[in-house]
Amino acid sequence: MTSVLVVDDEQSIRFTLQAFLADHCDEIHTAPDSRTALDLLKRHHIDVAVCDIVLPDIDGLELLQSIRDVAPQVKVIMITGQPTVNTTAEALRAGAFDFLLKPIRREGFLQSVANALRFKALEDERRLLEKESLRYQDQL
């Protein structure tokens, strides 16, 4: 089951991205701000978070760091309509999986989310295999 969280203060962006994802994800959560997003991350299994950089309470880069602290397995795709080289570099250094510019194009967005979901699935499988390997070694 795949689950995506979309965080953007613009309702039209949340609605549009949710519509893009409707046929591709099992669960889609939306949040207008960072605090709501963090609450959703604590209450739901989320595979990928799509976060705007400019948010009304905590900016997207701080939210990215908070997601890393609360749910490090979540892949984060940052989006912005106000790109700068520093912002892009900072987001990627902080662990963003991808960085997309507004206006968001449907195909590029869906490809980025699909890549993040595949990458996360591979990491989840690796973690499971490592656990099984450790359990096997403990039995020896």
Side-chain angles (χ1 to χ4, degrees):
M1 181 157 100
T2 58
S3 180
V4 175
L5 169 63
V6 175
V7 186
D8 198 299
D9 58 325
E10 294 181 51
Q11 184 176 5
S12 62
I13 300 286
R14 291 193 313 272
F15 180 79
T16 299
L17 297 183
Q18 186 174 19
F20 287 172
L21 292 166
D23 293 334
H24 303 279
C25 297
D26 299 310
E27 286 185 2
I28 305 161
H29 303 274
T30 63
D33 56 53
S34 298
R35 289 183 193 352
T36 305
L38 290 171
D39 183 54
L40 287 167
L41 278 164
K42 292 174 186 172
R43 294 186 295 123
H44 298 278
H45 169 82
I46 303 291
D47 294 304
V48 175
V50 178
C51 304
D52 191 12
I53 293 275
V54 180
L55 293 169
D57 51 356
I58 302 169
D59 78 26
L61 294 173
E62 289 179 61
L63 175 58
L64 171 60
Q65 189 56 54
S66 294
I67 292 171
R68 293 273 133 281
D69 295 340
V70 172
Q73 74 284 359
V74 173
K75 299 298 164 215
V76 181
I77 299 169
M78 302 301 296
I79 60 175
T80 188
Q82 303 170 10
T84 68
V85 173
N86 289 341
T87 303
T88 305
E90 190 175 340
L92 295 173
R93 270 195 306 271
F97 181 81
D98 202 355
F99 194 93
L100 302 174
L101 303 178
K102 292 179 183 178
I104 302 294
R105 307 247 184 262
R106 183 179 189 275
E107 290 308 313
F109 173 72
L110 290 176
Q111 186 63 54
S112 181
V113 171
N115 289 343
L117 288 168
R118 271 194 295 276
F119 193 83
K120 182 174 183 303
L122 288 170
E123 283 186 341
D124 290 348
E125 184 177 343
R126 180 184 51 85
R127 276 192 291 278
L128 180 63
L129 290 172
E130 286 173 355
K131 270 187 189 176
E132 289 176 4
S133 176
L134 289 174
R135 193 173 330 132
Y136 176 75
Q137 288 174 6
D138 287 344
Q139 292 175 353
L140 293 178

